[in-house]
Amino acid sequence: MLGGEIVKYERHGKCHTKLCQVYYSIRKRCYNTKCKEYKYYGARGIVICTEWLNCFQAFYSWAMDNGYKEGLTIDRINVDGNYEPGNCRWVDRTTQNRNMRKNIYLTYNNRSQIMKDWARELNINYSTIKARHLKGWSDEECLFGKGAKREKYKI
């Protein structure tokens, strides 16, 4: 395990705070094989940097210095990267939902967006774009259909 031993209990006076819950949830999904989210984190090799793993106060200080506030969630910028200062940020739920491995990006005119954003921008039903993608259509065909007139879309 990266970072050596996990310190189980630490006296910091913040045990019942939301930020402490976030911290222990991260540890649980990265290191507890019985956690249902472990397969998406620890089993994939996602770990917590040594500094944070062994010291809640270090995580707390980083969080306070980097925009933590109630209502935000911790987000790994690189979804395949570790929990560490250079790869984490505090974002709203919408931003975090756009930074998931399951999102599919389509590219048109050198612009890449997730399917949901294209659907909203082009006023096309998301399920239509998704169904086209599942059929193996090109990105352009997913967005506009086969042989459709692109001129009506202002992109």
Side-chain angles (χ1 to χ4, degrees):
M1 168 181 18
L2 183 69
E5 293 292 315
I6 295 177
V7 177
K8 189 166 185 166
Y9 298 104
E10 179 182 355
R11 295 179 193 261
H12 46 66
K14 298 175 183 75
C15 288
H16 301 290
T17 65
K18 176 70 175 167
L19 194 52
C20 193
Q21 292 172 9
V22 169
Y23 175 74
Y24 284 105
S25 291
I26 293 168
R27 285 178 41 158
K28 185 177 174 185
R29 59 186 174 249
C30 288
Y31 299 104
N32 183 344
T33 58
K34 294 180 182 175
C35 174
K36 69 178 184 175
E37 289 90 16
Y38 177 80
K39 63 185 172 187
Y40 304 115
Y41 296 89
R44 291 182 44 232
I46 308 293
V47 297
I48 304 170
C49 68
T50 304
E51 176 187 10
W52 291 355
L53 180 64
N54 294 322
C55 182
F56 169 76
Q57 190 58 46
F59 175 77
Y60 179 88
S61 295
W62 171 84
M64 293 296 111
D65 291 343
N66 286 277
Y68 171 75
K69 62 183 173 186
E70 286 286 330
L72 297 181
T73 63
I74 193 163
D75 180 58
R76 286 173 299 117
I77 298 163
N78 172 357
V79 295
D80 294 317
N82 295 324
Y83 284 99
E84 56 193 12
N87 192 43
C88 290
R89 62 187 175 176
W90 296 101
V91 298
D92 60 36
R93 180 64 62 192
T94 300
T95 301
Q96 188 171 52
N97 287 342
R98 282 172 166 57
N99 187 28
M100 299 173 73
R101 290 184 307 138
K102 70 179 184 176
N103 284 332
I104 298 169
Y105 284 81
L106 300 178
T107 302
Y108 177 72
N109 276 351
N110 295 318
R111 278 185 58 214
S112 291
Q113 298 187 112
I114 62 172
M115 285 194 279
K116 285 189 178 191
D117 289 341
W118 279 118
R120 185 175 299 114
E121 181 176 332
L122 298 173
N123 197 26
I124 299 171
N125 191 315
Y126 167 76
S127 60
T128 299
I129 296 174
K130 186 175 179 181
R132 291 170 176 172
H133 184 267
L134 290 172
K135 289 178 183 176
W137 291 18
S138 71
D139 288 4
E140 187 173 343
E141 291 169 337
C142 288
L143 298 175
F144 305 108
K146 292 192 180 219
K149 302 266 188 228
R150 282 139 194 86
E151 297 82 35
K152 73 177 188 174
Y153 299 99
K154 294 178 178 151
I155 298 180

